[in-house]
Amino acid sequence: MGIRANIESSTRPKTIAVCGNPNSGKTTIFNAMTGLRQKVANYPGVTVEKVSGYFTVDKPVRRRLCLVDIPGSYSLSAFSPDERIAVSALHGSLDGSSLPDAIVCVIDATNLERGLYFLYQILQIGQPVVVALNMIDLAGRKGIEIDIPGLQYLLGGVPVVPVVGNRGHGISRLKEEVAEIIERPFCPLNHHYDPIAEELLTTLRQSRDNGHFTRAEYLRVIFDVNGPLEERFLGKADSNLLDVVDRGRKRLIATYGSLSAAETSFLGKKAEDVCRQVLRVRSRRDRTTSEKVDRFLLHPVLGPLVLLAAMVFIFHSIFSWAEPFMELIDTAFGGLAGLVAGSMAEGPLRSLLADGVIGGVGSVLIFIPQIAILFIFISILEDSGYMSRAAFLVDRMFRWCGLSGKSFIPMLSSFACAVPGIMATRTIEDRKLRFITIMVAPLMTCSARLPVYSIMIAAFIPYKTYWSVFNLQGAVLSLLYLLGVIVAVVVSFILSKTLLKTERGTFLMEMPSYKLPTWKSVVVRVVNRLKTFVIRAGTVILAITIIIWALSYYPRPAELADKYEQQAAELSARNEYDRAVLETRLVSALNGLSADESIWVASLRKRAAQAGDEAGLRGIRDVAVSAKPDRAALVDAVMESSALDLAHARSVRELSNSRAGEFLRQSFFGRIGRIIEPVFRPLGWDWKITMSVLAGFPAREVIIATLGTIYNLGSEVDEESASLVQKMRHAKWDSGAKVGRPVFTPAVALSIMVFFALCCQCGATLVTIRQETARWLYPAVVFAYMTTLAYLFSLVAYQILSGMGL
């Protein structure tokens, strides 16, 4: 067993952590080193992403190394849950993780002093460190010259590799330095702290009951009062050590005024001294390109206009560019479902595969075009440096209601689809602000609501124009969009003051220099997002779809099946009899025809068979009779034969639709609709509307197909179906006090539309919320509060409008 364990440990890839300040280009370097060989997961029990990948080096020996992208941080002093995870990952104190074998610390060459402060903290961990000095080209354009050998010497021999992450320059050398430092570990001197702190550290580490912390962890115990490391220390250390820590803290406070000043002033001075020795800044009068561009993009008037134009373009792109691809996916899976249905005998297995599995997979993959387009834009905005500017411009408008400037893109994207919008909240660093954005994003009117709005407005809202400008139907649609926005603002404000209370001080944001995004970094991010959605959310969405299918398919009463089989047999027998009679007449009419006339009749029969309806047949008949008046009887016989085929096909379709509608009405969904009808009756809904709303849970637009099936029109109807509009207009109550009265009225239509505007009637959205928050509590809360608001607003709308006689 010992030999086997040694073999496994020697072959297991070494782990290298990549850390750095936000906007230092850390993730760009990570992507350049690993490419698409990445795995995205969450750290245990939290929503912070853990992105790991692999790269291979040939020097000094060929080996495969694992790279872990640590969330960006300015310091190892961590108090928020997300920061704690990042620091714990570096300390190797997370469940199921260990101390990294080496660390790559990414430093922005244009902000060397700030990066060195973080590096000095990283060095306390005691693992081999390689510095990736990123954006060295940008530093040169700013007139900044860095003595890299001198910097390496002052850092005690820590390897310093100049790189340009977005162009891939220096990445190969960085990989080699990482591989070499693992082969021949080199840990520089890390005594960079005040003598008082160093003395206290020595005492803690030499104690027998010290909790067995590392040097870096003891520093966090000393400097972070009520921090996570102190909590662990209190639970493990001897009481005498607590007194030692307390006395040491008092000495530091007496010397520096506060514990934070004791650390920052000492490390800050060391970083400043190093920069003074290795940094040379050439005098220059010209502004940098970024500064010149910011004169326009951050201008009080031009800045918001440029941002608005950019957001409109992005929204239009998500909405329109994705549509052809979504239609292609929908058509492909519809064709596949039809192929499966046509090659299998009718039964539950065929329905499961065609409607449940294939339909479920299609309902997952149909989101991919929108997600891909959105994250292409987000990656470009982030890598270019414009995302920070956009957040800065919008933050003042959003902050009062509890949202962040970075909430703007997710909220705007949610007008196309909430799924990619919610996934886009990953750009929001603050956990509470991110969760608030996630919980209100579904209130934006997504494209899936439009079919419901379209058919209700077309059927029950009069087309009236006032003052040659104001259109009633357009006004109703605009108010529905506005309703979602207003409710989202109110809910955000309430959440920021209660469940997700935020205390936001002065808004400070670093403006990184503008950079050209690299296609490789963009592709890596987009592919990872798509993989994450399909793997995490897709499996649950598929499961939900199959459950909904089962509720809609079962039970299948045998007597009902026998009834429709008998009707189908009768219909087929009658068609065969009528066909035989017609064929006899046709054969008689064909006797004595010349060869040319026989060819003409064959062509006529072919054209008639291709006619789509009776109107088409009449047109073909008129042309044929005008060409050969003496053959009018023959033409009529051919037309009658084709008319019989059309009538039979229509009867078969009507019987099939009637059968599907009857089975759906008898299904578990139909029974549930009848059971809970009294709950929704105050909204003006009968059990059919109620059942349609329930069936639309996987996707809102399903309500149209469900209504079509219920009213025996088939599931192929859409929001433009005139027959469905007529059915809805003539639908009557079949039970209760309203028997015989119209089901749908303008008041009922508005009640339904208001409900859809506010209810989270989308399983994919709820699953994505679970994926992004790592808990089912949040989607449960979203579903509960949105359903409650939807019910109350619909109730008020119906009662007021019905009271007005609408």
Side-chain angles (χ1 to χ4, degrees):
M1 290 295 293
I3 295 175
R4 181 179 179 182
N6 289 334
I7 292 174
E8 289 179 351
S9 63
S10 64
T11 57
R12 186 182 300 116
K14 298 285 187 179
T15 300
I16 296 92
V18 182
C19 63
N21 297 151
N23 297 315
S24 63
K26 170 184 60 65
T27 300
T28 301
I29 290 177
F30 174 85
N31 290 337
M33 294 179 72
T34 60
L36 291 173
R37 298 178 297 276
Q38 296 183 8
K39 178 181 178 181
V40 182
N42 278 0
Y43 285 104
V46 295
T47 60
V48 180
E49 266 193 352
K50 179 182 181 181
V51 184
S52 58
Y54 294 90
F55 68 94
T56 304
V57 289
D58 296 321
K59 299 179 181 179
V61 294
R62 183 172 179 82
R63 65 190 311 171
R64 188 167 182 254
L65 303 174
C66 178
L67 208 61
V68 179
D69 188 9
I70 304 297
S73 178
Y74 290 106
S75 169
L76 292 185
S77 180
F79 288 90
S80 73
D82 293 3
E83 290 173 337
R84 292 184 183 188
I85 292 298
V87 174
S88 297
L90 287 170
H91 288 157
S93 57
L94 281 175
D95 294 338
S97 66
S98 58
L99 201 65
D101 297 290
I103 299 172
V104 175
C105 184
V106 181
I107 294 179
D108 180 356
T110 65
N111 287 292
L112 181 60
E113 185 174 333
R114 188 189 63 194
L116 288 176
Y117 176 89
F118 184 57
L119 173 64
Y120 284 132
Q121 289 186 325
I122 294 297
L123 291 173
Q124 311 311 306
I125 296 174
Q127 294 300 93
V129 176
V130 176
V131 173
L133 195 60
N134 194 24
M135 292 182 265
I136 196 72
D137 60 331
L138 189 58
R141 289 199 293 271
K142 287 187 174 184
I144 300 173
E145 296 179 354
I146 301 174
D147 178 7
I148 293 177
L151 176 61
Q152 186 165 312
Y153 172 78
L154 293 174
L155 292 176
V158 174
V160 178
V161 182
V163 296
V164 182
N166 63 338
R167 296 182 182 177
H169 297 169
I171 297 300
S172 297
R173 184 186 163 194
L174 180 60
K175 293 179 181 180
E176 293 172 2
E177 288 286 355
V178 170
E180 186 173 336
I181 205 169
I182 290 179
E183 287 292 326
R184 294 185 293 276
F186 171 74
C187 298
L189 296 175
N190 52 19
H191 297 279
H192 300 299
Y193 279 75
D194 172 88
I196 301 174
E198 293 289 351
E199 180 184 340
L200 181 54
L201 270 171
T202 302
T203 303
L204 293 176
R205 299 188 73 180
Q206 290 178 348
S207 172
R208 294 180 178 178
D209 301 314
N210 59 8
H212 304 290
F213 286 9
T214 65
R215 173 185 170 85
E217 290 174 317
Y218 279 127
L219 284 168
R220 305 280 44 95
V221 171
I222 294 171
F223 290 108
D224 298 344
V225 180
N226 298 324
L229 268 299
E230 183 185 70
E231 295 175 6
R232 286 176 51 201
F233 182 73
L234 292 174
K236 295 182 178 181
D238 183 80
S239 59
N240 293 329
L241 281 183
L242 303 180
D243 294 333
V244 172
V245 172
D246 187 55
R247 289 194 300 270
R249 282 175 170 175
K250 289 179 179 178
R251 290 176 61 194
L252 289 169
I253 292 173
T255 304
Y256 293 95
S258 68
L259 289 176
S260 62
E263 182 175 27
T264 57
S265 62
F266 201 85
L267 292 185
K269 186 176 183 303
K270 289 183 70 66
E272 183 182 352
D273 290 342
V274 170
C275 287
R276 190 180 300 113
Q277 298 180 61
V278 302
L279 212 59
R280 298 289 183 273
V281 181
R282 298 191 305 271
S283 60
R284 57 181 179 83
R285 297 178 181 178
D286 295 337
R287 292 175 179 266
T288 63
T289 302
S290 294
E291 291 170 340
K292 292 177 181 177
V293 173
D294 279 343
R295 291 180 62 187
F296 298 96
L297 296 187
L298 295 181
H299 188 275
V301 177
L302 291 177
L305 291 177
V306 172
L307 175 62
L308 178 62
M311 294 304 103
V312 169
F313 177 73
I314 291 174
F315 176 69
H316 173 77
S317 301
I318 295 171
F319 205 85
S320 60
W321 292 2
E323 186 174 354
F325 297 101
M326 295 175 74
E327 289 181 354
L328 182 63
I329 293 172
D330 187 47
T331 301
F333 278 91
L336 180 60
L339 183 64
V340 170
S343 60
M344 297 179 65
E346 185 177 351
L349 180 59
R350 187 181 78 171
S351 181
L352 171 62
L353 293 177
D355 302 325
V357 176
I358 296 176
V361 173
S363 69
V364 173
L365 298 185
I366 200 168
F367 291 110
I368 284 182
Q370 289 185 332
I371 295 173
I373 292 172
L374 173 62
F375 276 97
I376 286 172
F377 281 115
I378 287 179
S379 298
I380 292 172
L381 291 176
E382 285 186 326
D383 289 355
S384 66
Y386 186 69
M387 181 71 84
S388 299
R389 275 85 176 174
F392 173 79
L393 290 169
V394 179
D395 190 78
R396 179 177 294 180
M397 182 174 64
F398 275 29
R399 64 187 289 113
W400 71 272
C401 65
L403 295 173
S404 161
K406 289 192 175 182
S407 302
F408 186 58
I409 290 180
M411 299 286 280
L412 184 69
S413 304
S414 296
F415 278 104
C417 178
V419 171
I422 291 168
M423 294 179 69
T425 61
R426 296 178 182 184
T427 61
I428 304 173
E429 293 86 359
D430 188 292
R431 178 177 176 272
K432 290 184 178 179
L433 293 178
R434 180 184 176 216
F435 279 21
I436 291 174
T437 307
I438 287 174
M439 296 181 74
V440 300
L443 285 166
M444 302 300 102
T445 297
C446 67
S447 57
R449 290 177 169 104
L450 288 178
V452 180
Y453 295 166
S454 298
I455 196 166
M456 295 297 170
I457 290 175
F460 302 105
I461 305 300
Y463 185 84
K464 293 183 178 180
T465 302
Y466 301 92
W467 306 294
S468 301
V469 176
F470 186 78
N471 181 270
L472 183 59
Q473 291 185 336
V476 170
L477 183 61
S478 300
L479 288 174
L480 290 169
Y481 271 85
L482 186 61
L483 176 63
V485 174
I486 293 173
V487 173
V489 169
V490 174
V491 172
S492 300
F493 180 80
I494 294 173
L495 289 174
S496 67
K497 301 299 180 184
T498 54
L499 299 177
L500 295 171
K501 188 174 183 180
T502 58
E503 296 179 3
R504 302 188 63 190
T506 303
F507 179 69
L508 298 174
M509 175 167 284
E510 178 189 2
M511 297 298 171
S513 301
Y514 290 106
K515 299 179 290 293
L516 285 175
T518 61
W519 67 268
K520 186 174 184 179
S521 179
V522 171
V523 168
V524 166
R525 292 191 189 190
V526 173
V527 170
N528 281 338
R529 293 287 78 78
L530 295 179
K531 285 167 56 179
T532 300
F533 171 74
V534 172
I535 293 172
R536 293 192 202 171
T539 52
V540 182
I541 295 172
L542 177 60
I544 291 174
T545 304
I546 292 175
I547 292 172
I548 298 297
W549 164 83
L551 291 174
S552 303
Y553 186 83
Y554 291 105
R556 310 287 284 185
E559 61 276 10
L560 197 60
D562 292 341
K563 167 189 169 184
Y564 280 99
E565 284 182 8
Q566 182 179 353
Q567 291 182 4
E570 292 174 355
L571 185 62
S572 178
R574 185 164 58 250
N575 179 68
E576 288 179 5
Y577 174 78
D578 293 340
R579 166 65 56 194
V581 173
L582 272 175
E583 284 299 323
T584 301
R585 288 176 51 196
L586 195 56
V587 168
S588 175
L590 291 173
N591 287 333
L593 292 180
S594 66
D596 290 341
E597 287 180 321
S598 297
I599 294 173
W600 175 76
V601 171
S603 175
L604 180 64
R605 297 187 71 173
K606 183 177 180 181
R607 292 199 306 273
Q610 294 173 346
D613 52 25
E614 283 79 1
L617 285 177
R618 285 195 297 271
I620 295 171
R621 188 257 179 202
D622 292 342
V623 172
V625 170
S626 63
K628 292 183 180 292
D630 56 327
R631 294 297 185 183
L634 177 59
V635 171
D636 287 339
V638 171
M639 294 302 111
E640 192 172 349
S641 175
S642 295
L644 180 63
D645 292 338
L646 286 175
H648 178 67
R650 182 170 56 251
S651 298
V652 169
R653 185 168 58 253
E654 290 174 353
L655 182 63
S656 177
N657 291 339
S658 177
R659 179 177 181 273
E662 186 69 24
F663 273 123
L664 182 60
R665 291 189 290 272
Q666 295 294 329
S667 69
F668 290 121
F669 252 138
R671 298 176 186 184
I672 293 171
R674 288 185 176 87
I675 291 172
I676 66 174
E677 182 194 62
V679 177
F680 289 92
R681 195 173 291 156
L683 308 185
W685 302 2
D686 68 349
W687 69 269
K688 296 177 182 177
I689 299 175
T690 303
M691 188 186 76
S692 300
V693 172
L694 290 176
F697 177 72
R700 295 178 178 94
E701 59 270 29
V702 173
I703 184 176
I704 304 297
T706 305
L707 283 172
T709 304
I710 290 175
Y711 288 118
N712 298 338
L713 295 175
S715 60
E716 292 77 17
V717 297
D718 55 25
E719 64 272 18
E720 298 178 357
S721 172
S723 57
L724 179 57
V725 169
Q726 290 301 318
K727 282 282 187 179
M728 291 165 59
R729 286 174 174 170
H730 294 94
K732 307 292 183 182
W733 282 83
D734 55 14
S735 63
K738 296 183 179 180
V739 171
R741 294 168 58 183
V743 172
F744 289 92
T745 63
V748 172
L750 284 167
S751 170
I752 294 171
M753 288 188 285
V754 168
F755 189 88
F756 268 79
L758 299 180
C759 184
C760 190
Q761 194 73 2
C762 180
T765 296
L766 294 175
V767 172
T768 306
I769 293 175
R770 162 62 179 82
Q771 170 189 326
E772 296 300 312
T773 60
R775 296 179 65 186
W776 279 110
L777 172 65
Y778 291 97
V781 170
V782 169
F783 182 77
Y785 95 77
M786 289 184 66
T787 302
T788 301
L789 288 177
Y791 186 92
L792 294 177
F793 274 76
S794 297
L795 176 65
V796 171
Y798 174 72
Q799 295 298 333
I800 291 176
L801 293 172
S802 60
M804 295 169 60
L806 295 176

